[in-house]
Amino acid sequence: ALAQGRRRDRAAQRTLTGPHRDELAVTMASKGQPAAECSTGEQKAMLIAITLAHAALAGSAPGEAERPRLLLLDEVAAHLDPLRREALFDRLRQGGAQVWLTGTEIAPFAAIAEEAAIWRVRDGAAERV
C-alpha cells in the first residue's frame, strides 16, 4: 500500500497510508468500558499503562545487550488517586529505568520523597531540595 500510494502521497505532501492513520481503541478491562466513557483519572491510568508497556518493549530487542533506559514523565501523578499513584511508583521501582518525574506540586510525590532526588526549578535555576 505504501509503494502504490507514493504518487498520491507526494501530491498530498504527506503519507496518507500507515499506522499513524489508525485509531487506537482502549477499554478499561475491569469495567468493560471504552476509555472515552471513563473518568479523567482512569484515562490517565490507561495512558500511563500504555506508555510503560511501550517503554518495556523498547528496552532492547531479543539477542541485544540491554540498553540504558530513561523515562521522562511530566505531571504523571497529578490526575491519579493515591492508590493508582502508589501502584505507579511501585511499577517504576521495578522497571529498571532511570525515571524523571515532573510536577508543579510536591504533594503527589510525598510517598517517594525519601528515595527520590528532588529538585526545585525556579527563575532559570535548579536547586536540590
Side-chain angles (χ1 to χ4, degrees):
L2 291 172
Q4 292 172 352
R6 282 195 182 115
R7 220 175 254 155
R8 187 180 62 145
D9 292 346
R10 251 186 248 115
Q13 296 184 341
R14 60 191 171 103
T15 307
L16 299 170
T17 303
H20 65 289
R21 304 288 297 175
D22 286 335
E23 295 292 327
L24 178 64
V26 178
T27 301
M28 170 77 67
S30 63
K31 295 173 128 182
Q33 191 172 26
E37 296 175 14
C38 292
S39 71
T40 301
E42 290 168 333
Q43 290 175 356
K44 295 289 183 188
M46 287 185 274
L47 179 58
I48 292 165
I50 291 168
T51 300
L52 294 178
H54 179 262
L57 289 171
S60 63
E64 287 184 1
E66 180 77 16
R67 295 186 296 187
R69 292 184 289 152
L70 172 67
L71 284 174
L72 305 173
L73 302 172
D74 184 35
E75 285 289 345
V76 71
H79 296 284
L80 299 178
D81 61 44
L83 184 64
R84 284 193 175 96
R85 196 176 301 136
E86 187 57 40
L88 169 65
F89 295 151
D90 284 343
R91 172 63 181 81
L92 294 175
R93 285 181 192 104
Q94 298 166 13
Q98 181 181 20
V99 180
W100 287 68
L101 304 170
T102 67
T104 56
E105 298 177 358
I106 192 68
F109 305 103
I112 58 170
E114 296 298 316
E115 61 190 291
I118 301 172
W119 293 79
R120 177 176 293 124
V121 178
R122 184 182 316 166
D123 299 327
E127 67 173 308
R128 189 159 181 180
V129 180

